[in-house]
Amino acid sequence: MLKALSTPTNRRRTVFLLTACALLALGAAWVGIDDNPPGISLAYLSAATFAAAFTHPWRSPRSFRRLMYAAAGGFVVFAVLHNVFHAGASIPDLPRLAQQIFSGFGIASFFIAVLLCPPVFVLGAVAALVMSRRHPGS
């Protein structure tokens, strides 16, 4: 992440990508993502742009493969966490505040697993393929 802010050129690209991410997220919110393919596409593009804002200086295919593996592992971990938090929120003897906290963590885990991990996985896969063609043997 620090490499994305290390030089003036990298800072400009990072700010540009973060601005594009925010505009795409606002577009997704405006259009709506509830059973709406254009809104879901905008949300996925926003997540991919957010990841690209911090990975654009990388030039090693190995780094992008690691990003791809981390996104795949993150999908599994956050899907399981969603189920665990949902089950925790369903315990009837739990105080109301604890149920709401578990429910909030469950929703956050669901959104990370469904809206963040897949586009980051695709970004890692495509960038690893492109970088391996540019730098064979890495």
Side-chain angles (χ1 to χ4, degrees):
M1 184 170 120
L2 295 178
K3 208 173 196 181
L5 303 172
S6 62
T7 66
T9 302
N10 283 350
R11 276 193 295 273
R12 277 194 299 276
R13 285 183 185 153
T14 301
V15 168
F16 173 77
L17 288 168
L18 288 175
T19 303
C21 168
L23 291 174
L24 287 166
L26 288 172
W30 183 66
V31 171
I33 61 171
D34 188 29
D35 292 335
N36 189 358
I40 294 170
S41 298
L42 287 172
Y44 280 149
L45 285 172
S46 175
T49 307
F50 181 76
F54 298 104
T55 60
H56 70 85
W58 295 357
R59 296 293 176 250
S60 167
R62 179 180 294 147
S63 298
F64 287 108
R65 280 194 304 268
R66 287 181 181 163
L67 179 68
M68 183 180 68
Y69 300 146
F75 177 80
V76 172
V77 167
F78 283 106
V80 169
L81 279 175
H82 163 68
N83 291 330
V84 168
F85 287 131
H86 181 70
S90 301
I91 298 172
D93 294 337
L94 215 55
R96 181 88 171 123
L97 178 63
Q99 287 179 345
Q100 289 176 343
I101 290 172
F102 278 144
S103 180
F105 282 141
I107 292 167
S109 297
F110 176 78
F111 280 131
I112 290 171
V114 172
L115 291 177
L116 185 65
C117 292
V120 172
F121 179 85
V122 171
L123 173 75
V126 170
L129 181 66
V130 168
M131 289 300 159
S132 67
R133 291 186 184 262
R134 283 189 184 174
H135 307 286
S138 296

